[in-house]
Amino acid sequence: MKFIGIIPARYASTRFPAKPLALLGGKPVIQRVYEQVAGVLDEAYVATDDERIEAAVKAFGGKVVMTSVDHKSGTDRCYEAYCKVGSGYDVVVNIQGDEPFIQRSQLEAVKACFDDASTQIATLVKPFTPADGFDALENVNSPKVVVSKEMKALYFSRSIIPYQRNRDKKEWLAGHTYYKHIGLYAYRAPVLKEITPLPQSSLELAESLEQLRWLENGYSIKVGISEVETIGIDTPQDLARAEEFLRNQQEAL
C-alpha cells in the first residue's frame, strides 16, 4: 500500500496567528512537522491557503500545494490537496500542522491499522495513566475515546466516558483504562472522497468533534495505540513549552 501525508496549515488562527511560521529551535513549526513526516510515508505535502506558508515550505525544500481559503476543516483541505497531487496513493494521512514532535512510531501505528482490509478510517489514542491525575482526565480539550474489543472507536467525547458509577472519582484511573485521542487521521482514498461532502451532524455540533460525523454516518474508525506523549502548539504559551521540550531532547542526545 502507498501512503501520502497531507499537512494542513492555515495562516489565520484566533489563538495564534501565523503559527506555522513561528520559530521553534530556529526552524518554522511547519518545517519541524514536515521533517518528522518525510521519509516515514511514501510522500508528504503541506496544504495551505497562504502564499507566505507556501514560500516558507519551498524555502526549506518541502513540497506544498495551494488550497482554497474556504475550507472549514483540515479534512476538507486534505481532500482538495489529495485531488491535486495524490494519484496512485491508497491511504491519505492527515497530520496536524501544529504537531512538531509527531513520532515515526505513531505514523507506523496508524499505517498498521490498514493491515486490516476492513479499515476505512484510522486514528490514534494514548492510554491515560494514574500519574496523569484526574485533572488531565477531566480536561475538555483532551477528548476521550471508548473502543470495542476489535479496537474500533465506539464514541469520542469531551466528557469522561465511561462514568464509573460505583467508584470514587479519585480511583477512576486505577479502575479502568481511559484513552486520550491523538488527532492523527488516515483515510482510504475512496472513503475520504465520501466523507468530505457530508453535512455536519448533531453529535459533531454538540461535542465540536468532527470524527463524530463519520461515526454518525456509519463509518468505522480503527484505533491504534501510542505510548508517546507529544506537544501540540495552539498558543504562544504552548510554543514556549515546546522550546523547553526541544531543548531537553537535544541535551539528552
Side-chain angles (χ1 to χ4, degrees), residues 66 115 126 229:
M66 290 295 289
D115 291 344
K126 181 182 182 296
E229 188 68 71

Side-chain angles (χ1 to χ4, degrees), residues 170-185:
K170 294 179 181 178
E171 301 175 356
W172 279 14
L173 282 167
H176 178 80
T177 301
Y178 288 90
Y179 292 107
K180 174 170 66 174
H181 184 224
I182 297 173
L184 173 68
Y185 296 108

